[in-house]
Amino acid sequence: MSKILVIGGGAAGMMAAAAAAEEGHSVVLYEKNEKLGKKLYITGKGRCNVTNACDFESFFENVVSNPKFLYSSYGRWNSWDLMDWLEARGLKLKTERGNRVFPASDKSSDVIRTFQKALERLGVVISLNTEVEGLWVEEDRCRGILIKETGKIPADAVIVATGGLSYPTTGSTGDGYRWAGKAGHTVTGLRPALVPMEAVFGDGTPVSELQGLALKNVAVRIQKGQKDLAGDFGEMMFTHFGVSGPVLLSASSVAARELEKGPLELFIDWKPALRDDQLDARILREFEAAKNKLLKNVAGNLLPVRAVPVVLRLSGVPPERPVHEVTKEERLRLVHTLKEFPMRLTGLRGYSEAVITQGGISVKEVHPATMESKKVKHLFFAGEVLDVDAYTGGFNLQIAWSTGHAAGKAAGKPEELGNSSKPEGRREE
Ligand SMILES: Cc1cc2nc3c(=O)[nH]c(=O)nc-3n(C[C@H](O)[C@H](O)[C@H](O)COP(=O)(O)OP(=O)(O)OC[C@H]3O[C@@H](n4cnc5c(N)ncnc54)[C@H](O)[C@@H]3O)c2cc1C
């Protein structure tokens, strides 16, 4: 029996602690908050989208950073393993649109309670209100952890599952990145992702003019120079600072790195179901039905009324013009503006609004099957602290479950720690 210390009582840490205890090891789980799963509690708007029941290929298509690193851990402990594990412990689940899996009760607290009970039953010692100060590393081997009050606590293996930097009030303050850096690991560029973005309209005017306006069934495209970076279809909204909503949160994960270097172009297609010529025909019909009306009044039939002044301004067609006086050239400009409404993205919002942190401990320095460090023996990582992230839909939590499970299963088997010295080129399962 090995002694395993797990740092972080979030999704990855709880899964790792349970998996290690299932192997018969003595496990202590340290959490600096007064309770487990503080971030888990707010996931999925309090409903906790625990995983996604999609096929393997789709799962990896939804992982934005380093999907290949996850082949092994997800292959061994996938969405269905997690669902079976939770249901075997009494948590009923349901699958909604987009294969998103939630507890049937719609309560994230039920997920946390299920883990808590499982950990207690497995004899995991849960040490709440305990902030770990650092790792005890000597001669390239992790010997335990450091805690202010108690000093060094020895262990056979340590699993770092301290999360990222997003929503820091939940306890994710980046401690694991600092410790890993000190232990010789590379921490790749950290940035908020799945995060709202700051923006202005194409003419440089503030977006606050449309603050609170939500759009459904629009297509968005983010462009750098002539290159398309991201595109999506669905819901978005204008905020006092820029843009948010599902399609733009997803797009932010792809655009984040480029946005750090400078502004990007965002184009909104207000009428994705219509080609340019179809939209022109539709506008002509509207104009013919209301010949003597002013453009600003007719445009409300094509767009949310609040958006009319902005769209007309950006198209350069005078709003006070009676529609029968609108020239063909002006009409085509209006079509173009509706199909490619121009905006400029100027920055990302901060960690306090970001669903996840992009970047993290370089996966090149971690064994994908076991999550063990390639630099420091008996040290393991799991969850958001690693340089892996995905789109919304339950994928980020599944990354935490899969990597946590892999770390927990491997951490207590010193003979398997030989994994870390496998000859180069040998394929890890
Ligand atoms: C608002 C919001 C909604 C989300 N909704 C979803 C969703 O529905 N589905 C989904 O898949 N993903 C969702 N996510 C993302 C998901 O929550 C994270 O990917 C996941 O929680 C990462 O798990 P983790 O265990 O790695 O980190 P965390 O859950 O952040 O856990 C890390 C834990 O470590 C503890 N800790 C940190 N440092 C120390 C220390 N020094 N000593 C002791 N303890 C320490 C922290 O207090 C924390 O409890 C959401 C995120 C947010 C912010």
Side-chain angles (χ1 to χ4, degrees), residues 118-135:
L119 293 170
E120 282 162 12
R121 210 171 299 126
L122 286 160
V124 172
V125 176
I126 300 171
S127 183
L128 299 173
N129 297 305
T130 314
E131 180 160 0
V132 175
E133 270 208 298
L135 303 175

Side-chain angles (χ1 to χ4, degrees), residues 213-352:
L213 178 67
L215 304 178
K216 279 188 179 166
N217 303 325
V218 290
V220 300
R221 186 163 55 81
I222 296 180
Q223 208 174 293
K224 182 188 183 187
Q226 293 307 307
K227 192 177 159 208
D228 280 349
L229 294 179
D232 207 349
F233 171 86
E235 294 172 31
M236 64 161 284
M237 68 181 289
F238 297 97
T239 65
H240 64 286
F241 55 77
V243 285
S244 186
V247 292
L248 286 158
L249 289 186
S250 297
S252 76
S253 277
V254 182
R257 193 186 305 261
E258 291 299 330
L259 200 45
E260 275 179 348
K261 299 180 200 156
L264 300 172
E265 308 303 319
L266 165 66
F267 296 99
I268 300 168
D269 182 349
W270 299 73
K271 299 285 172 195
L274 300 179
R275 290 192 316 264
D276 287 21
D277 58 320
Q278 292 170 323
L279 179 56
D280 188 34
R282 161 88 201 275
I283 293 174
L284 262 178
R285 280 202 302 279
E286 293 290 345
F287 283 8
E288 266 154 29
K291 275 199 173 88
N292 296 319
K293 285 199 178 162
L294 301 181
L295 176 59
K296 66 176 184 186
N297 297 328
V298 178
N301 297 341
L302 297 160
L303 282 169
V305 173
R306 278 188 64 197
V308 169
V310 189
V311 171
L312 292 183
R313 191 172 74 234
L314 267 73
S315 67
V317 188
E320 304 292 339
R321 182 161 296 181
V323 291
H324 66 268
E325 287 180 19
V326 174
T327 65
K328 182 177 178 192
E329 192 266 330
E330 286 172 333
R331 213 178 60 235
L332 293 180
R333 268 202 333 254
L334 182 56
V335 169
H336 182 68
T337 310
L338 285 168
K339 293 295 287 176
E340 299 219 359
F341 180 76
M343 296 189 67
R344 194 159 62 249
L345 297 172
T346 53
L348 298 168
R349 296 294 278 180
Y351 284 112
S352 59

